[in-house]
Amino acid sequence: MADTEVDVTERKSSGRADPYANRNSRESQFRANRFKLVQEIIQSILRAKGSCRILDLGGTEKYWDIGAEFIQDHAGVLHITLVNTDPVDVKNTRLFAAIEGSATDEALLRGQKFDFVHSNSVIEHVGQIPDMRLFAENVRRLGERHYVQTPNYWFPYEPHFRFIGFQYLPERLRVELLHRFALGFFSRQDDRNNAASLVRGSRLLSTAEMRRLFPDSEIRFEKFLLFNKSIIAFR
């Protein structure tokens, strides 16, 4: 799943407002600043090739609204393929295509190559380290260039449950908290099994883990105050 796909799934569980719907929200501002690097990579591809085929693992059309002006200015030379485990509808079929598939599937889009593989807050939702390794291998296999962003495990504020230090607590306690309280994007879960599934579905990574998953990538950090809020591996 991805940043935007995760948003959709989480809000089905919570019924809470989408912070990205407000362009002035802190979440939207972080995402817009993050998009500057994405835009730089796309621009460099356009200068070299004149067009750019983008594969967005777990993305939705809505996510790309953060760069709407840039995207529309180059709509004739861009094409974005969205991959999600569940069906995703697209409105602008000239610019976007959507397919069902798993980003950890070794056979995903076998034989194809994209100019740029993009992933925003996805890798922490695909499972455990072996699943993340499959995800990273697909990113590197399918794209000449890539951008993979994920929240930093060592940033004290857990962004999905919106709880300081949540990721450092024992899993049993995290499950119990979600069973008793609404946290972040999630409503209170009456069923402990559902709570456990949601807790296990967000496994944050450290910088060292990202370096091991993307050994030939450059690592950059998104900062908040003096902390590394998120980690970006790009090439």
Side-chain angles (χ1 to χ4, degrees), residues 22-161:
N22 176 6
R23 287 186 172 271
N24 295 317
S25 70
R26 180 168 293 176
E27 289 90 347
S28 291
Q29 291 170 3
F30 274 121
R31 186 178 279 183
N33 286 333
R34 210 179 293 154
F35 188 76
K36 292 175 183 177
L37 176 57
V38 174
Q39 182 172 320
E40 288 174 11
I41 294 171
I42 295 172
Q43 285 175 321
S44 69
I45 295 169
L46 291 176
R47 284 193 295 270
K49 295 189 170 185
S51 63
C52 183
R53 293 179 67 234
I54 301 168
L55 179 65
D56 188 353
L57 296 176
T60 64
E61 186 175 3
K62 179 183 174 184
Y63 164 84
W64 293 90
D65 285 346
I66 57 171
E69 184 175 348
F70 171 76
I71 297 296
Q72 289 307 314
D73 285 347
H74 298 86
V77 291
L78 296 178
H79 190 268
I80 303 170
T81 299
L82 310 170
V83 175
N84 287 280
T85 54
D86 296 316
V88 172
D89 293 326
V90 297
K91 295 179 181 178
N92 185 351
T93 55
R94 292 185 62 189
L95 180 59
F96 294 93
I99 64 173
E100 289 183 54
S102 170
T104 61
D105 181 359
E106 294 173 281
L108 178 68
L109 296 166
R110 182 169 286 163
Q112 296 194 45
K113 196 81 171 179
F114 293 80
D115 300 307
F116 179 42
V117 175
H118 173 278
S119 164
N120 191 63
S121 294
V122 181
I123 193 169
E124 72 271 18
H125 297 289
V126 301
Q128 299 306 305
I129 288 295
D131 306 291
M132 296 175 182
R133 191 174 296 115
L134 291 171
F135 179 96
E137 288 171 358
N138 275 341
V139 168
R140 296 161 66 201
R141 171 177 63 85
L142 290 166
E144 296 177 11
R145 307 279 301 275
H146 61 250
Y147 168 102
V148 178
Q149 182 271 348
T150 190
N152 180 16
Y153 175 83
W154 293 110
F155 184 70
Y157 183 71
E158 208 290 339
H160 307 97
F161 299 92

